[in-house]
Amino acid sequence: MNPTIRHITFDCTGDPYELGLFWSALLGRPLADDDKPGDPEALIEDPTGTGPGLLFVRVPEGKAAKNRLHFDLRPTGRTRAEEVARAISLGARQLADHTRPDGKGWVTMADPEGNEFCIERGELG
């Protein structure tokens, strides 16, 4: 039998609960019921129970370089521009816009801890 991915873990120097709230709002998935501000970790589980959860863990050292792994998000029910604006309103920063003249491409973002993620073109553009 092969292993399954249980969690994708994010290291953070701030409050894992706060970073979890950002991702919870962005992805529309709730934090675990027992997570509280100031806890050393926070968890967002896949509501279907089939995919990995997102685990946020406090570490002493800050991020020093570009992520070696990141999420590429595809908006559902929004355009890429609307999803970028929504992510910024939740606390993300836009790092680079790689949108091509034909509308393809992506926008590189950073969460409140500096972890990169991309927002691709969605079903609405």
Side-chain angles (χ1 to χ4, degrees):
M1 298 289 293
N2 295 319
T4 59
I5 298 172
R6 183 169 176 223
H7 297 131
I8 298 170
T9 302
F10 288 74
D11 292 343
C12 58
T13 57
D15 186 347
Y17 181 83
E18 290 298 320
L19 188 57
L21 284 177
F22 167 81
W23 283 99
S24 173
L26 186 66
L27 299 175
R29 296 181 176 181
L31 280 169
D33 292 337
D34 59 349
D35 288 329
K36 299 175 199 59
D39 284 352
E41 60 184 49
L43 176 64
I44 298 174
E45 294 190 88
D46 177 7
T48 67
T50 59
L54 302 181
L55 180 63
F56 305 91
V57 178
R58 184 177 296 118
V59 297
E61 67 281 346
K63 183 175 170 293
K66 183 182 183 308
N67 292 24
R68 299 295 302 261
L69 174 76
H70 69 268
F71 293 131
D72 291 335
L73 304 178
R74 183 173 186 253
T76 303
R78 294 183 188 89
T79 66
R80 176 180 38 232
E82 290 168 337
E83 193 65 37
V84 166
R86 190 175 80 84
I88 290 170
S89 76
L90 294 170
R93 292 178 292 119
Q94 182 174 322
L95 300 178
D97 189 340
H98 301 280
T99 303
R100 299 180 192 134
D102 66 359
K104 295 180 182 176
W106 66 93
V107 176
T108 305
M109 308 290 292
D111 74 10
E113 282 273 338
N115 300 299
E116 293 97 357
F117 63 99
C118 294
I119 299 177
E120 297 180 342
R121 183 180 185 171
E123 58 195 22
L124 299 179

